[in-house]
């Protein structure tokens, strides 16, 4: 019989953020969002900055992650993320400030700035702010 | 024999030293607990990352990646992580000695020094220091590790160096810190343990492609190895310092004991002399 649940682990360099059995999880893959149901085929994907949605017994939990990768093997989803935060743990004021800072740097074309880095910072900030809604 | 006053003065000075070492021990113990927590919290990620990398590498043997290229090691970099501060017994010098002994049969060695002790040692001996990172503070962040990792990845990709080794003190427990060496580049995916070997070989779907996935995992693996090294060094430093300060406090107590004994003896001797002088004087009067 197919199992209706799969184990989901979300780990960051700082700590293990999440470790529970879930019904369904959506992850922000490099090529677009992936919905993972139990007994998925082995998969390895890099992740973008984005949102992980977890469905567990009818409840949906959201989490902001900023890049990393995911491994799915034997009914177990392992997300190795650079950061992973629940909406209630996000410091929105800080994200707002980070967003402004990044926008300013990107607008300032003359300066000798690390364009990619500023863009990534902006993406992370926007991703965090999106969790507010 | 030193005078009574000299002895008293010495006891006083040792007592104040003892107070300092006692305080440092307490501070180190508190900081160690925190550092230890961090380094233990970081382990699941490191373990998972190594596991994933090992599994991926075993199914993607044909994948070419600049960080996996093995070149003849002509120019070797040693990344030596020590603490910034001393007062911790042989903690820093053990790591440095271990690094130096491993350098012996390497061709051209240059250094990347993390921590003041490592930098001072290698600078004084005229090693070729490519880069140095000192004063990282007590709050080690992954960003600091990323900076160091980026530096060595750039050097490796531009073929300026052919191999990179990481040397740091592994935090085994409060009493034991063991210097270890790890080959960072060319990256050698960890061999899977026996337990995992009997599992079936996983035939992954790679998204977007095996190369792309390797591209994300490898730099993360290197960054994380350095991060782990930084954390373990921090935890090791404080536990080594705690032990050293504990010993210092005990030694101070021993010295105080023996000096107190000398003081008492000297005092007794003085009293005895005085009594015999009085008795002698009285006898002379009779």
């Amino acid at each position: 019989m197919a199992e209706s649940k799969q184990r989901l682990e979300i780990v960051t360099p700082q700590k293990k953020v999440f470790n529970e059995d879930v019904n369904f999880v959506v992850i922000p893959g490099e090529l677009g969002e992936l919905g993972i149901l139990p007994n998925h085929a082995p998969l390895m994907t890099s992740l973008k900055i984005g949102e992980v949605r977890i469905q567990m017994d009818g409840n949906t939990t959201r989490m902001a992650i900023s890049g990393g990768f995911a491994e799915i093997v034997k009914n177990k989803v392992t997300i190795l993320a650079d950061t992973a935060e629940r909406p209630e743990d996000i410091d929105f004021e800080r994200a707002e400030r980070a967003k402004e800072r990044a926008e300013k740097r990107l607008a300032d074309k003359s300066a000798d700035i690390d364009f990619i880095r500023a863009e990534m910072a902006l993406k992370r900030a926007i991703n965090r702010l999106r969790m507010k809604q | 024999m030193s005078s009574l006053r000299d002895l008293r003065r010495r006891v006083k000075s040792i007592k104040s030293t003892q107070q300092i070492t006692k305080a440092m021990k307490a501070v180190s113990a508190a900081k160690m607990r925190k550092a230890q927590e961090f380094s233990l919290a970081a382990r699941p990620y490191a373990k998972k990352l190594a596991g994933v990398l090992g599994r991926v590498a075993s199914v993607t043997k044909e994948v070419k990646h600049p960080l996996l290229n093995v070149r003849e090691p002509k120019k070797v970099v040693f990344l030596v992580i020590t603490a910034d501060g001393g007062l911790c017994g042989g903690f820093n010098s053990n790591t440095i000695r271990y690094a130096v002994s491993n350098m012996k049969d390497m061709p051209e060695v240059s250094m990347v020094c993390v921590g003041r002790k490592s930098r001072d040692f290698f600078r004084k001996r005229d090693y070729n220091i490519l880069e140095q990172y000192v004063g990282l503070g007590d709050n080690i962040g992954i960003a600091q590790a990323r900076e160091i990792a980026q530096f060595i990845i750039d050097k490796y990709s531009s073929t300026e160096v052919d191999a990179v080794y990481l040397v740091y003190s592994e935090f085994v427990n409060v009493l034991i810190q063991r210097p270890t060496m790890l080959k960072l580049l060319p990256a050698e995916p960890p061999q899977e343990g026996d337990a995992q070997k009997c599992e079936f070989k996983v035939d992954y779907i790679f998204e977007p492609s095996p190369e792309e996935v390797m591209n994300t995992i490898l730099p993360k693996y290197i960054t994380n190895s350095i991060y782990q090294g930084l954390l373990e060094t921090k935890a090791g430093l404080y536990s080594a310092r705690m032990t050293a300060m504990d010993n210092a406090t005990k030694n101070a107590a021993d010295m105080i004991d023996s000096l107190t004994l000398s003081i008492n003896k000297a005092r007794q001797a003085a009293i005895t002399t005085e009594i015999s002088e009085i008795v002698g004087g009285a006898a002379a009067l009779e």
Side-chain angles (χ1 to χ4, degrees):
Chain A
M1 199 193 94
E3 289 171 58
S4 64
K5 279 201 170 180
Q6 57 191 344
R7 170 63 54 152
L8 172 68
E9 265 185 68
I10 301 180
V11 193
T12 71
Q14 273 76 37
K15 62 176 183 190
K16 200 174 252 187
V17 183
F18 192 93
N19 187 12
E20 268 172 273
D21 286 329
V22 302
N23 300 104
F24 179 59
V25 53
V26 178
I27 56 175
E30 195 72 58
L31 300 178
E33 287 206 322
L34 294 163
I36 311 289
L37 282 162
N39 296 307
H40 195 282
L43 173 85
M44 175 73 78
T45 177
S46 28
L47 302 176
K48 290 191 298 196
I49 295 165
E51 179 186 334
V52 174
R53 283 194 301 278
I54 305 154
Q55 267 180 33
M56 201 164 50
D57 304 319
N59 298 318
T60 306
T61 315
R62 304 194 313 158
M63 215 171 262
I65 65 161
S66 48
F69 53 93
E71 183 199 33
I72 297 146
V73 61
K74 293 214 286 184
N75 211 23
K76 186 171 166 187
V77 183
T78 310
I79 298 178
L80 292 167
D82 294 348
T83 65
E85 296 151 310
R86 289 189 167 84
E88 57 267 29
D89 296 332
I90 295 177
D91 184 345
F92 287 108
E93 269 172 41
R94 190 174 157 224
E96 195 76 60
R97 280 200 304 276
K99 185 180 165 221
E100 274 165 29
R101 204 163 51 230
E103 275 168 346
K104 219 152 93 199
R105 298 192 85 182
L106 286 173
D108 187 8
K109 286 201 178 68
S110 61
D112 171 31
I113 56 159
D114 191 339
F115 188 78
I116 297 170
R117 208 174 130 187
E119 201 175 81
M120 292 301 276
L122 182 61
K123 274 189 189 162
R124 279 197 300 271
I126 290 172
N127 181 42
R128 288 205 171 101
L129 289 173
R130 237 188 28 196
M131 300 295 285
K132 202 172 183 177
Q133 286 106 44
Chain B
M1 204 173 95
S2 40
S3 78
L4 207 54
R5 192 141 58 111
D6 281 346
L7 287 171
R8 288 224 170 90
R9 206 176 280 151
R10 275 187 69 191
V11 168
K12 215 170 139 194
S13 109
I14 292 168
K15 262 189 187 149
S16 66
T17 308
Q18 191 189 28
Q19 260 169 8
I20 293 170
T21 58
K22 216 186 249 171
M24 277 189 80
K25 186 194 155 193
V27 171
S28 304
K31 284 188 171 173
M32 182 199 75
R33 220 162 294 138
K34 220 175 114 192
Q36 202 177 342
E37 244 166 57
F38 272 117
S39 119
L40 289 182
R43 273 186 190 166
Y45 185 86
K47 221 170 131 191
K48 286 259 179 295
L49 193 59
V52 169
L53 186 59
R55 257 167 285 157
V56 172
S58 68
V59 291
T60 56
K61 285 267 190 300
E62 67 283 0
V63 174
K64 290 270 175 288
H65 192 278
L67 298 182
L68 291 169
N69 274 349
V70 180
R71 294 192 287 266
E72 197 194 332
K74 281 186 192 133
K75 287 180 196 153
V76 180
V77 168
F78 267 76
L79 176 60
V80 180
I81 304 179
T82 66
D84 279 336
L87 291 175
C88 47
F91 178 72
N92 290 321
S93 47
N94 282 347
T95 314
I96 291 172
R97 201 178 313 127
Y98 183 77
V100 171
S101 73
N102 276 306
M103 272 173 216
K104 270 189 191 127
D105 28 69
M106 300 279 179
E108 198 188 321
V109 176
S110 40
M111 306 294 308
V112 173
C113 298
V114 182
R116 195 165 287 131
K117 290 286 164 184
S118 152
R119 182 199 62 186
D120 290 352
F121 180 91
F122 292 108
R123 193 166 60 182
K124 208 182 266 170
R125 281 158 190 77
D126 281 329
Y127 280 83
N128 177 23
I129 298 177
L130 293 179
E131 189 60 88
Q132 57 188 45
Y133 300 89
V134 293
L136 293 183
D138 273 344
N139 296 315
I140 302 291
I142 190 105
Q144 290 160 322
R146 209 171 281 144
E147 194 188 329
I148 303 172
Q150 199 53 52
F151 177 80
I152 62 163
I153 288 172
D154 286 349
K155 287 277 176 216
Y156 190 81
S157 313
S158 63
T159 68
E160 271 175 71
V161 302
D162 305 313
V164 180
Y165 291 93
L166 170 69
V167 180
Y168 67 95
S169 260
E170 192 190 347
F171 177 82
V172 183
N173 59 41
V174 179
L175 293 174
I176 304 169
Q177 295 90 36
R178 194 188 303 133
T180 39
M181 186 164 89
L182 187 77
K183 192 174 191 181
L184 274 187
L185 288 169
E188 284 176 343
Q191 297 298 314
E192 289 191 44
D194 291 358
Q196 279 165 310
K197 248 181 205 155
C198 33
E199 278 183 42
F200 61 100
K201 261 218 170 130
V202 190
D203 198 6
Y204 288 108
I205 308 167
F206 283 98
E207 213 170 291
S209 64
E211 286 81 9
E212 279 293 314
V213 171
M214 268 308 203
N215 225 350
T216 16
I217 297 184
L218 279 174
K220 278 192 207 307
Y221 178 67
I222 290 157
T223 306
N224 203 63
S225 302
I226 297 173
Y227 182 58
Q228 193 74 21
L230 292 175
L231 290 178
E232 304 236 344
T233 301
K234 200 97 280 179
L237 162 73
Y238 286 123
S239 54
R241 182 175 288 169
M242 196 180 80
T243 320
M245 288 302 123
D246 191 38
N247 285 338
T249 311
K250 274 186 198 138
N251 289 345
D254 287 349
M255 274 179 87
I256 290 170
D257 280 353
S258 81
L259 283 174
T260 313
L261 191 66
S262 304
I263 290 176
N264 290 343
K265 271 184 186 160
R267 199 190 56 229
Q268 280 300 332
I271 292 169
T272 313
T273 327
E274 219 169 294
I275 289 175
S276 69
E277 270 166 14
I278 293 168
V279 173
L285 282 177
E286 266 172 26

